[in-house]
Structures are given as structure tokens and as C-alpha cells.
Amino acid sequence: MTSEDRDTVPADNDGVKGTESRSSSISSGKPAKKHLPVWQESILLLAVALGLAIVLKALFIQAFYIPSPSMEPGLVQDDRILVQKVSYWGGGTPERGDVIVFEDPGNWLAADSTGPNNPAARVLAKVGLYPTGGHLVKRVIGVGGDTVTCCDDEGRLSVNGKPVNESQYVMPNATCAAPLSIQSEDQPCTAKALKVTIPEGYLLVMGDNRSNSEDSTARLCTTKETECPPTRGLVPVDNVVGKVFALVWPIKRFDHITRPDAFKDVPDAK
């Protein structure tokens, strides 16, 4: 074998292939990626999900359940609802007709209505992944400055002197739209039995099931009480968590909750 043969054979069988292999490795320039173990990936994903849930609960959306029949027929006891908070950002406040969730302003709720009893459910409720208790759901009837009276000859509430047709949402078999506190045989719906002017920063709220709703009107000061704070029975705006915008469970009754037209012609307070 000539020297030329000896020089050529290694180049064909080993030298060229070795050069291509080293070239390929150098050209990639990156070490092989290492994947996290499955258990570490699972923990990471769970942490991200919990973080997002906490942010959503704090700033945007929170889940609640209906604790009583007071909002029938639209919202039934144990319904699951979603509340959005952005409507009241930047100085925004609840408006007449809004269905709101608010913190108990003081002994409105029974002791057993404070939320889920299961420890796991309580943890999930803290991060917004389970409906929260300890709150109430009612409809805003009057805002700061409004004067609400009841009732006219047709059994309607009036806000700032304007009668309100609430047939769109109140319980249809109710004798009238009057609050529970004045529905009695000796004080019919046509009686001028309610008149309250709402201080700024407070709301007068009522349930849609007027015959079964322990709301603002069941707690207002009466004419016989000489020492009664004028805000008793009213809800501080600061207690409002947000506005109900969706009924999500049971799924067959899924609905988008909007503000009704009943209050659109009510004049501003003077």
C-alpha cells in the first residue's frame, strides 16, 4: 500500500465522519435541556394556579352562594353566583337596581351562615376557588341622598317621588312590592308606612322575595324609637364586595345578571 493509500483510507472511514460529528456538536452550541421531574412540575403548576386564583379573587371575580330564599325568583337558595369588582373601581359605587354582595353590616346573618364547614372547602374559599359564606345578597333600592317611600295606591315603592315598577324581578305572587316589615293585615300595602332618606355613603337594600327577606327595611328605625342611629338597617358602601353578574350553578339555569330598567326614570336626589 502506498503512502497515498494510507493517507486516503483513514480520511474516508474515520477522519471525515469524525469531523462531521464534532462539527454538528459545536454548531448546536447548547447542552441538552433537562426537564423537571413530574412532581416538581405539578407543584409549580399548582402554585401558579393558586397565585392566579388569589389575584382574581382580590381584584376581579369571586364566587359566592345564595344563603336564603330572599332573592327568589331570580336567585334560589344555594345557587352559585359570580361577583365582579371592577364596576366599582375608581370611585364607582353601586347603582339602583344592582344586585350586590356585601359583608354583614352587623348581626344580619345567623351564626351557621358563615361559610363552608369542610376544612378543604374553607381553604379553597380563601383563595376564591369555592363559594364564600358570611355575606349577603340583596338588590340596591336607594343610594346616598335618595328618599324611598312606600307605598303608593298600587303598592309600589317610590324613589325621590318616582314610583318604580318592579314586576321584572320581584316575586310574582307577592301581594305587592312592599317590604316585609309593612306587609300585615292591619297595615296594607297602600299605607304610607315607609319613608327613609339615605345618608351619603350608605345603601338601602331589599330582597326580591319581599314576603321573605330580612333586609334593610326590617331593621330601620321606627317612629316609636327615640334613640336610634339613622344608619341602622343601611349598608355602608365600604362593605360592598361587588356586583353579581352571573348565575353559574346549577348549569341549567345559567344566566347573565344585569341591571333592570325599573330605575332608569328615577330622578337624582335633590
Side-chain angles (χ1 to χ4, degrees):
M1 180 181 291
T2 65
S3 60
E4 182 178 353
D5 291 334
R6 287 195 297 270
D7 290 339
T8 304
V9 172
D12 289 341
N13 295 338
D14 184 49
V16 173
K17 289 183 179 180
T19 302
E20 288 178 349
S21 176
R22 289 192 298 273
S23 171
S24 175
S25 175
I26 294 170
S27 63
S28 66
K30 296 180 181 179
K33 291 184 178 179
K34 294 183 178 179
H35 293 284
L36 291 173
V38 173
W39 67 271
Q40 289 185 357
E41 287 188 348
S42 299
I43 292 176
L44 179 61
L45 289 173
L46 179 60
V48 171
L50 288 175
L52 289 174
I54 292 171
V55 171
L56 285 173
K57 175 186 175 182
L59 300 178
F60 300 104
I61 296 174
Q62 191 169 348
F64 292 89
Y65 65 90
I66 302 299
S68 75
S70 69
M71 289 300 293
E72 293 181 0
L75 299 174
V76 179
Q77 187 171 0
D78 292 329
D79 277 354
R80 267 50 175 174
I81 55 175
L82 291 180
V83 168
Q84 56 95 344
K85 305 179 181 184
V86 295
S87 291
Y88 305 144
W89 284 3
T93 56
E95 298 184 31
R96 306 179 196 102
D98 285 352
V99 177
I100 61 170
V101 168
F102 56 95
E103 297 174 3
D104 188 345
N107 301 318
W108 285 34
L109 284 171
D112 59 353
S113 302
T114 56
N117 295 320
N118 182 288
R122 285 182 176 178
V123 172
L124 292 175
K126 288 290 186 182
V127 297
L129 298 177
Y130 191 90
T132 306
H135 295 74
L136 296 102
V137 183
K138 303 292 180 187
R139 189 179 299 276
V140 177
I141 302 298
V143 298
D146 285 347
T147 297
V148 180
T149 58
C150 187
C151 296
D152 67 3
D153 293 339
E154 298 180 32
R156 297 176 297 180
L157 293 171
S158 294
V159 182
N160 299 334
K162 177 69 176 179
V164 180
N165 181 0
E166 298 185 275
S167 60
Q168 182 179 349
Y169 51 81
V170 295
M171 179 67 84
N173 62 356
T175 54
C176 64
L180 175 64
S181 58
I182 66 173
Q183 287 190 24
S184 61
E185 293 181 1
D186 60 343
Q187 199 172 50
C189 292
T190 54
K192 303 296 187 292
L194 172 69
K195 183 175 182 179
V196 56
T197 298
I198 305 164
E200 293 295 336
Y202 287 85
L203 306 167
L204 186 141
V205 298
M206 295 176 66
D208 292 348
N209 186 359
R210 298 291 160 81
S211 297
N212 190 9
S213 177
E214 293 288 334
D215 49 40
S216 287
T217 60
R219 297 172 169 84
L220 295 171
C221 298
T222 66
T223 56
K224 296 179 181 180
E225 295 178 284
T226 56
E227 296 183 3
C228 178
T231 58
R232 193 179 76 182
L234 303 178
V235 176
V237 171
D238 290 343
N239 282 38
V240 176
V241 175
K243 179 168 63 174
V244 179
F245 77 95
L247 166 61
V248 295
W249 190 266
I251 194 67
K252 64 182 179 180
R253 296 198 307 108
F254 179 90
D255 193 16
H256 181 217
I257 309 298
T258 59
R259 183 184 303 132
D261 296 330
F263 296 86
K264 67 178 182 179
D265 295 326
V266 171
D268 293 334
K270 294 181 180 180

